[in-house]
Structures are given as structure tokens and as C-alpha cells.
Amino acid sequence: MAARLYATVTPVCAPWDGPAQRVVIFTGTGGGCGEREMGVDRLALTLWRQALPLRAPLAIWLTGELGDGMALHCTARQRCAPLPPAHVELDEVGDHVLGRLRYTTPAGDRVDLPFRAERCPAPPPPCG
């Protein structure tokens, strides 16, 4: 079995100010609850609408604001770009979240990233 990448789960607001959850998968070194994400390569998944509450098993297509979530690839220099349509599966939801992110790059390469996300202690932000 492939090693699972470290990730975090934090309550956030969706782009239109509704409730959402953000899963940040750290693809480089660093990152974690209480640490700043600057200087760290990461994939940021924001989940909303039918994806909430997070539960398992759950499969979500990340297609942007009109769907149930979106995915961004962010570099250490804080430049973020949307991922191609991606699919996230949550296998276990509790004190931590186990899942995997799948997508196909524009070059046709298939990416399959298993992750283990730590829930970051944070109150829900005031959305809306």
C-alpha cells in the first residue's frame, strides 16, 4: 500500500460564504495544524453542499463553484491554480479523515494520492 500523505481538515467558508471544509494535502515537507501554509507545496480541496457533513464512505467530484467542491494546486510561492476535474473519496471520517484524491493531468497522467488528514481544532468561521 502506498504511503499516505499528511493532510489537515479545517472549517472554512465556501466562495459564496456558505459553510465548507478544507482539506489541505501537503505534497512537500512542512505544513500542519497551527502552521502557516506559506512556503509549502500543497493541494487544497474545499468541500461544500452535498459533501457536508463529511462522512464515510463518500465520493465527491470537485468541479468548481457549481459542484460540491473545488481543488487547487498551490506552490510554495503562494501561486494557486485549479486542478483538472478531480475526484475525492473519503474512506474514514472521525478524529482524522482517510481518503484519496484522483485526477488526470492535462498530459494524460493519472494521479492517485492517498491521504490521512488531521482535524485542526478551530471554531467554524462566521459564513454568510
Side-chain angles (χ1 to χ4, degrees), residues 11-14 16-20 124-128:
V12 295
C13 297
W16 62 88
D17 257 357
C127 300

Side-chain angles (χ1 to χ4, degrees), residues 41-104:
D41 287 338
R42 65 205 179 280
L43 300 168
L45 317 178
T46 307
L47 311 173
W48 52 70
R49 289 192 184 114
Q50 299 300 315
L52 299 180
L54 296 183
R55 59 202 177 278
L58 180 64
I60 309 155
W61 282 100
L62 305 176
T63 57
E65 287 187 35
L66 298 178
D68 290 327
M70 61 187 283
L72 299 172
H73 175 251
C74 300
T75 66
R77 292 196 170 134
Q78 295 300 306
R79 291 199 174 103
C80 295
L83 280 180
H87 184 250
V88 66
E89 296 174 3
L90 303 181
D91 301 318
E92 186 177 321
V93 175
D95 292 338
H96 59 272
V97 177
L98 292 179
R100 63 188 330 107
L101 173 66
R102 293 184 172 126
Y103 62 95
T104 301

